Structures are given as structure tokens and as C-alpha cells.
Amino acid sequence: EKGEFEHFMLKEMFEQPQAIRNTIRGRLDFEMGTAVLSGLDFSERDAAQINRVLVVGCGTSMHAGMVGEYAIEEMAGVNAEVEQAAEFRYRNPIITPNDLVIAISQSGETADTLAAVREARQKGALVAGICNVVGSTIARETGRGVYLHAGPEIGVASTKAFTCQVSVMLMMALKIARTRRLAGHAGTQFARWIQRMPELVEQVLKQNDVIKAVARKYAKCDHAFFIGRGYLFPVALEGALKLKEISYVHAEGYHAAELKHGPIALLEENTPVIALLNNIPGKDKTMGNAEECKARNAPVIAVVSEGDEAVAEGFDDVIVVPDCPPAICPIPTVVALQLLAYHIAAARGCEIDQPRNLAKSVTVE
Ligand code: F6R
């Protein structure tokens, strides 16, 4: 039931601190500086033998996979790729027994993701699932994996599943990294940041009213761009996806560097740019891109880290999120973008929990 909330989506966004707590409960070992993911069912030795990680999924789940890709490469030094599940299944992918294929699916029923699992298994890869729905087809067919324990997600637009999927990907990255180059103390420090994520989300949720006011200002716009780099690139994609699916605003998520390779031609005074300017590597470059947008008369909404508010000077609006390490920052940042999308959709009078043309799970290809 929705309880005090007007929509399931709003309820589920506000459930995120608890959902993430449920996802990480019992899975962090601070002493060893690692994650304990028993459902993965592979030994330290198995983990040490992985020489490539392929992450497959669709939509929001694929975006969570992208965050995982970055974390696995950065922390573990293991080659990682993320691929749209349909593309993966149909292009006869090259797979070796030392490849770990991770299938991410909230519902565990997405047709293309399931087909990718079958393809990978048939080719002899180690396959693991990250699902929310217990006993779902992907969870069963992968045989090993990690459940989100996020609780049922009713809203068609995925919110808490995304933050919980990212939480699992970060724990997987930590686990693999600890069999490689990551030192124990660094692992412990990272585990502590994972532990703090629910609190970071709470801080963003407290700004619901501020974000709502920003949303109202732009609710009449028909186009929007989201730009980011590094760990914030998938967040830009996810922010744009949320906005388009529930508000029907034409929104594009772009790598900040890609803007000037074409899309900048679309900017004008009614096309806001949401620039992800958190204090992580690449910030200064994205700032430069945001300034270029301003110079084309596009209003810029700057998302910045707490303590780094000066970055927003000269831009039109600001949303402040807690300061945290690069791999962690997708979590608070995406919550701000979820709220922004929600309030824009609400102001436009949209049917938020049941957007037109969309189904909660896509079981046909
Ligand atoms: C977006 C959304 C979809 C799903 C996608 C995959 O809000 O919900 O993009 O993420 O259809 O679904 P699952 O994760 O169930 O495989």
C-alpha cells in the first residue's frame, strides 16, 4: 500500500535508505575489508581467476551495470564491460571460462536478459544474477547470485531497485578487488562508505522541497539534457530515462564531452541542462561544458557536492548532494534526479505509477 504517499514511486524513493540497508545487511566484513556474498558461491580462488566481467541488462538495470563496470575496473583492475542484453545475445559474443557474466534484472523476467544468461551459460561462462524478485526465472537459471532484498517495486519507473543494484555491484567490486590489488585497509574504508549510503540518501530526501521548487520552474519545458562524466555518466543516462518515462519530457543523457559533437545544436533557452558537477575527477571539465551550455542560453541546473557550492555560481539553479568518493556518488546523486523527475511529472499532471506504453516487466523481446 502507498500509505501516506501519493504514488508508489514516491513511496519507493523514500524507502531507499531502508532498502539499501536490507541489501547490505550482513554482507560487509569490516575486519577483512571485504564483502560476503554467499549467494555468489565462489571461492577466493574462483574470484582470483576471473579475468573479465561482462555485465548485461536493460534500461535502468543496465545503467546500474555501468556503475559496476567502472567500480570493478577501478578497484579490482579487472577488465569489465557492460552490454545491452539484446545486443549481447545476438552478436555471438566471445566468452571464455574465466569470464564472469553478471545479469542484472529487478524482475528477473526480462526476455533479453534471460536470453543473454542462456547464451553465456551455453558458452561456458561463470554466470551470476542480481535480481530483486526471489525465485524469478533469471535468479533460478543463473543458480548463483545476489538478491537485492529491496522489497516489491510497484512503480513502473525503477528507483529503489537501481540504488540497491548499485549497492550490490559495489560490494561485488569490493569482493573481487580484495582478491587482487586492493589493500585490506582500503577495503575497510570502502566498506564503511557503503555502510553510510543509506544516510547519504536520507540527506538528499530531506531536500525534497528544494528539488520540488526547482522542478516546478522547469515543468513546462519539453526538452532537457543531463550531462556527466565518469561515475556520473550512467547517472546522467538514468536521470534522463526517469524524466522521459514519467513526465514525457524529451530528455537526453549524454557524456558531457559528447555534447559538442552534435547535441549542443539543440540547446536554447527552454532546454535546461542538468549538469552533474559533484566533486569527483572530471568536475572541472564538466563545468566547462556547462558554461558552454549557458553561453547558448540554456538554463543550467548544477548538481554539486556539499561544501563545494561555489561551483554552482553563475548557473541558474543548484541541488546540493553529500560529498563522497567517486564510486559512491551515483547513489545520492541519482536520488536527487529521481525526485526531480517525479516533481516535474507531478507538475505536468502525469500518471506517475502507470506511464503510458510501459509495463513493469518486459517479457517479450
Ligand atoms: C526504467 C525501468 C526499465 C527496467 C528494464 C529492465 O525505470 O524500469 O528500464 O529497468 O525494463 O527491467 P528488469 O530490471 O526487471 O530486467
Side-chain angles (χ1 to χ4, degrees):
E1 261 319 296
K2 285 183 291 198
E4 59 183 294
F5 295 100
E6 209 173 324
H7 298 99
F8 280 108
M9 184 186 177
L10 189 63
K11 172 174 178 264
E12 288 163 6
M13 289 189 293
F14 274 82
E15 270 170 11
Q16 288 178 107
Q18 193 52 44
I20 297 170
R21 268 182 212 113
N22 292 344
T23 298
I24 63 183
R25 176 168 304 121
R27 289 171 166 169
L28 292 169
D29 178 341
F30 297 98
E31 204 168 316
M32 300 304 289
T34 190
V36 183
L37 302 168
S38 49
L40 268 189
D41 196 30
F42 51 69
S43 61
E44 296 272 300
R45 240 181 96 225
D46 292 335
Q49 266 160 11
I50 296 165
N51 64 17
R52 191 170 63 141
V53 179
L54 298 166
V55 189
V56 295
C58 301
T60 290
S61 296
M62 177 178 66
H63 296 155
M66 288 175 73
V67 177
E69 171 194 5
Y70 290 175
I72 290 166
E73 291 208 342
E74 181 190 64
M75 293 168 57
V78 173
N79 184 1
E81 306 289 338
V82 63
E83 191 157 50
Q84 211 285 338
E87 192 58 16
F88 176 88
R89 68 180 281 203
Y90 283 121
R91 69 180 184 90
N92 197 16
I94 298 161
I95 290 172
T96 66
N98 289 339
D99 287 338
L100 169 65
V101 174
I102 302 174
I104 310 191
S105 176
Q106 187 284 129
S107 63
E109 304 295 346
T110 299
D112 281 317
T113 311
L114 175 59
V117 164
R118 291 178 177 159
E119 173 81 15
R121 288 197 64 162
Q122 202 210 339
K123 289 193 155 160
L126 193 62
V127 182
I130 298 180
C131 297
N132 191 37
V133 178
V134 175
S136 56
T137 312
I138 293 172
R140 280 186 282 114
E141 291 210 11
T142 45
R144 63 173 86 224
V146 183
Y147 279 120
L148 302 184
H149 302 310
E153 191 178 62
I154 313 280
V156 167
S158 184
T159 55
K160 64 177 178 174
F162 178 83
T163 43
C164 293
Q165 287 165 336
V166 169
S167 306
V168 171
M169 288 302 316
L170 295 178
M171 290 190 288
M172 276 198 183
L174 175 61
K175 183 180 167 74
I176 299 170
R178 285 287 290 124
T179 67
R180 314 282 170 126
R181 63 186 186 188
L182 192 77
H185 65 91
T188 299
Q189 217 172 20
F190 192 70
R192 290 212 180 99
W193 272 108
I194 293 178
Q195 171 98 335
R196 278 196 56 198
M197 291 191 316
E199 184 194 314
L200 303 179
V201 171
E202 268 154 14
Q203 286 181 46
V204 178
L205 292 171
K206 280 191 194 137
Q207 296 181 72
N208 187 32
D209 290 339
V210 177
I211 297 172
K212 184 173 175 179
V214 175
R216 300 227 150 189
K217 233 175 115 176
Y218 296 99
K220 289 206 166 71
C221 296
D222 291 321
H223 308 275
F225 279 87
F226 290 73
I227 59 169
R229 288 169 188 258
Y231 283 101
L232 295 168
F233 172 43
V235 178
L237 298 180
E238 176 60 10
L241 179 61
K242 287 292 88 91
L243 185 60
K244 70 185 106 181
E245 69 185 326
I246 59 169
S247 74
Y248 316 136
V249 171
H250 165 224
E252 304 250 21
Y254 263 97
H255 192 281
E258 193 60 21
L259 211 61
K260 53 162 112 6
H261 297 283
I264 199 166
L266 294 168
L267 297 183
E268 38 84 35
E269 59 189 338
N270 288 316
T271 301
V273 176
I274 296 88
L276 306 182
L277 299 171
N278 307 51
N279 194 15
I280 67 167
K283 174 186 85 174
D284 295 342
K285 302 274 179 200
T286 307
M287 267 179 80
N289 303 125
E291 276 154 13
E292 286 159 7
C293 297
K294 268 236 70 96
R296 271 79 182 175
N297 295 321
V300 173
I301 303 168
V303 178
V304 305
S305 300
E306 197 174 358
D308 199 28
E309 289 87 350
V311 164
E313 258 167 52
F315 296 129
D316 299 82
D317 288 280
V318 59
I319 297 172
V320 183
V321 297
D323 192 24
C324 54
I328 303 290
C329 87
I331 295 275
T333 309
V334 81
V335 175
L337 302 188
Q338 293 167 350
L339 289 170
L340 186 70
Y342 174 84
H343 290 299
I344 290 177
R348 290 167 73 93
C350 297
E351 193 46 75
I352 290 176
D353 284 330
Q354 289 296 330
R356 70 183 179 212
N357 309 340
L358 296 180
K360 183 65 187 159
S361 101
V362 183
T363 52
V364 289
E365 56 176 297

